[in-house]
Amino acid sequence: MGAPRTTDPRPPFAGLNGHTPEELFGSLPTPCYILDEAALRRNGELLADVAKRTGCKILLAQKAFSNYELYPVLAPYLAGTEASGLYEARLGAEEMPGGEVHVFCGAYRDEEFAELLRYADHIVFNSPRQLERFGPAAKQAGKSVGLRVNPERSTQEGHAIYDPCAPGSRMGTTRAQWDEKMTPELLSLLDGLHFHTLCEQDSDALEVTLDAAAERFGDVLPRMKWLNMGGGHHITKPGYDVVRLERCIRRAQQAWDIQVYLEPGEACALNAGYLAARVLDVFRNGEIRLAILDASAACHMPDVLEMPYRPPLYGAEDRDELPSHGAGTPDNPPHVFRLGGPTCLAGDVIGDYAFPAPLREGELLLFGDMAIYTTCKNNTFNGMPLPSIYVLREDGRLDCLRRFGYEDFRGRLGGK
């Protein structure tokens, strides 16, 4: 019996269980992140169901979520971690003990590679030259060796910065590069192939990628032990086509007799965190009503500017997604505010949101889906303080994982 088309129709604020943000988080200093333990576990359960039904192995991509004190919540449901370099590899090995550690890096450093071999189980190279330089040492150390390939079939629109299949991409080995550089000696080092082409996409995009991989590397895959299909699979998003995903996994298994790996980051922690902020100032510039928050898009939610991405906001609607008549009625129009941070960057804007009532100074706002690409990616531009990190436990308790202060800002800039 196949998996349902819809996995778990939980909105970003389901973890509040009917309470308002002020009721749950009003006593916390802002800005702050709140990680939702129950939501993390639910994501883990959904991923484990896919692994159980198909026999694939699913890894946590730490580049999206690396709050290691919550790894014990996810560990029972995953095969291990994926890392982008030495530090993440060490973190995965130390904080999810017993799990596999897979590493991919665009290029490895001579002075780090020996230490990396202490932590990694799978090491994936980006080019035949990197395979030539480091592959023999990895093989001699008993590691499973892979090469990232580029299927050259883009499935993304509007996210060019995250498109590994864009023309001129530095990510992965194309078939032309393979034919030019690969030798029998290098091929003998390989245990598997890796591709990563997706970004917050459904399994129809994976199916397109798999077709391209079969077209370009179908003669090589039967010689491999495993195929890693990378990340970007939005498996835990409501409405994700799990049936098609599992069909893709089984297709690869049956065609090439290989172990399939997936390494999602977002799917592990999707809708499993919040960012609480308060309104510092409200004013108008012409027709635009503005609100300055104590949270910054540039510093505390950088994907808002890089993707670009508009996070969900409790009790409000994204103005760009509203119908032409807005969220209200002719007699009661929505109150639209442009939300921005306190930094000097003119573009430090989170977006335009429609509210049922005008915003006031001191009001608490709660952004959703803030567990991913936030705590692991934020910064202290302008001397902005890093938000504290809290955990909403499954029993309703709030625990503080980490508070930050001046020394955290100062310490990364010098050693005195």
Side-chain angles (χ1 to χ4, degrees):
M1 185 174 179
R5 175 66 171 80
T6 299
T7 53
D8 182 21
R10 291 166 57 86
F13 303 102
L16 304 187
N17 294 318
H19 296 284
T20 68
E22 188 69 51
E23 289 171 342
L24 284 179
F25 309 130
S27 63
L28 301 182
T30 60
C32 68
Y33 301 108
I34 305 106
L35 305 176
D36 189 328
E37 190 175 61
L40 279 174
R41 188 176 304 281
R42 180 59 178 149
N43 286 339
E45 291 170 347
L46 293 171
L47 296 173
D49 287 345
V50 172
K52 182 178 180 180
R53 285 191 296 263
T54 64
C56 79
K57 294 185 177 183
I58 301 181
L59 310 167
L60 165 66
Q62 297 176 97
K63 61 187 175 185
F65 180 79
S66 48
N67 292 103
Y68 57 89
E69 290 183 75
L70 288 165
Y71 282 13
V73 177
L74 291 170
Y77 310 106
L78 302 175
T81 57
E82 181 274 335
S84 300
L86 173 60
Y87 288 173
E88 282 188 354
R90 178 175 177 177
L91 189 72
E94 292 179 348
E95 302 300 337
M96 201 177 286
E100 297 181 28
V101 177
H102 293 227
V103 186
F104 165 79
C105 186
Y108 294 97
R109 301 164 62 101
D110 288 298
E111 64 270 27
E112 293 182 353
F113 199 73
E115 185 179 356
L116 183 66
L117 292 176
R118 292 165 47 190
Y119 306 114
D121 299 298
H122 285 214
I123 298 181
V124 178
F125 299 99
N126 189 52
S127 69
R129 174 56 182 154
Q130 283 276 295
L131 176 62
E132 180 184 31
R133 285 186 62 191
F134 297 104
K139 201 73 174 179
Q140 187 175 5
K143 309 305 177 181
S144 191
V145 174
L147 182 71
R148 177 168 175 167
V149 296
N150 182 347
E152 300 176 83
R153 186 76 56 83
S154 178
T155 60
Q156 298 187 38
E157 295 180 7
H159 293 163
I161 191 174
Y162 293 109
D163 186 359
C165 292
S169 172
R170 73 187 198 285
M171 310 306 293
T173 299
T174 65
R175 185 62 203 223
Q177 293 167 333
W178 175 288
D179 291 340
E180 180 184 0
K181 299 293 185 181
M182 189 61 64
T183 65
E185 291 75 21
L186 291 181
L187 183 58
S188 69
L189 295 173
L190 289 181
D191 298 300
L193 297 184
H194 175 289
F195 63 72
H196 175 41
T197 67
L198 308 183
C199 177
E200 296 186 349
Q201 288 171 281
D202 210 318
S203 51
D204 57 339
L206 173 61
E207 194 169 54
V208 170
T209 298
L210 193 57
D211 288 342
E215 177 184 328
R216 287 172 170 78
F217 297 98
D219 60 325
V220 178
L221 282 162
R223 303 180 61 175
M224 299 294 109
K225 297 178 182 178
W226 51 263
L227 173 64
N228 188 322
M229 297 183 181
H233 315 276
H234 240 174
I235 301 169
T236 54
K237 182 179 180 180
Y240 180 89
D241 192 344
V242 175
V243 172
R244 189 191 298 261
L245 169 68
E246 295 183 0
R247 189 164 63 237
C248 288
I249 294 169
R250 293 191 181 97
R251 170 186 166 187
Q253 292 167 331
Q254 293 165 6
W256 304 308
D257 189 26
I258 52 178
Q259 174 67 58
V260 171
Y261 286 92
L262 304 176
E263 48 182 43
E266 294 174 13
C268 292
L270 186 71
N271 291 334
Y274 317 99
L275 174 61
R278 290 199 182 271
V279 178
L280 300 179
D281 194 12
V282 179
F283 55 94
R284 183 185 291 270
N285 184 350
E287 295 300 312
I288 306 296
R289 286 189 286 189
L290 299 128
I292 306 298
L293 312 184
D294 57 9
S296 161
C299 297
H300 305 147
M301 43 181 112
D303 268 9
V304 168
L305 303 185
E306 289 184 14
M307 280 288 288
Y309 166 70
R310 192 72 55 83
L313 178 58
Y314 181 89
E317 297 182 71
D318 184 339
R319 180 60 171 170
D320 291 345
E321 297 180 356
L322 295 177
S324 58
H325 62 270
T329 67
D331 296 328
N332 184 27
H335 300 274
V336 178
F337 285 81
R338 180 164 296 166
L339 307 181
T343 72
C344 70
L345 178 66
D348 189 1
V349 173
I350 302 163
D352 293 359
Y353 292 85
F355 298 84
L359 291 180
R360 306 180 311 276
E361 290 182 18
E363 190 166 347
L364 181 69
L365 301 183
L366 191 70
F367 295 95
D369 196 22
M370 286 285 107
I372 53 176
Y373 294 111
T374 52
T375 56
C376 59
K377 199 174 180 180
N378 57 21
N379 61 80
T380 58
F381 170 65
N382 263 197
M384 285 289 293
L386 294 172
S388 298
I389 305 173
Y390 291 83
V391 180
L392 177 61
R393 299 294 184 187
E394 291 172 287
D395 62 6
R397 290 180 296 115
L398 277 171
D399 290 338
C400 183
L401 290 187
R402 185 73 155 83
R403 292 184 178 90
F404 301 92
Y406 171 70
E407 291 303 324
D408 296 289
F409 162 69
R410 183 179 183 275
R412 63 188 294 274
L413 301 171
K416 289 184 179 180

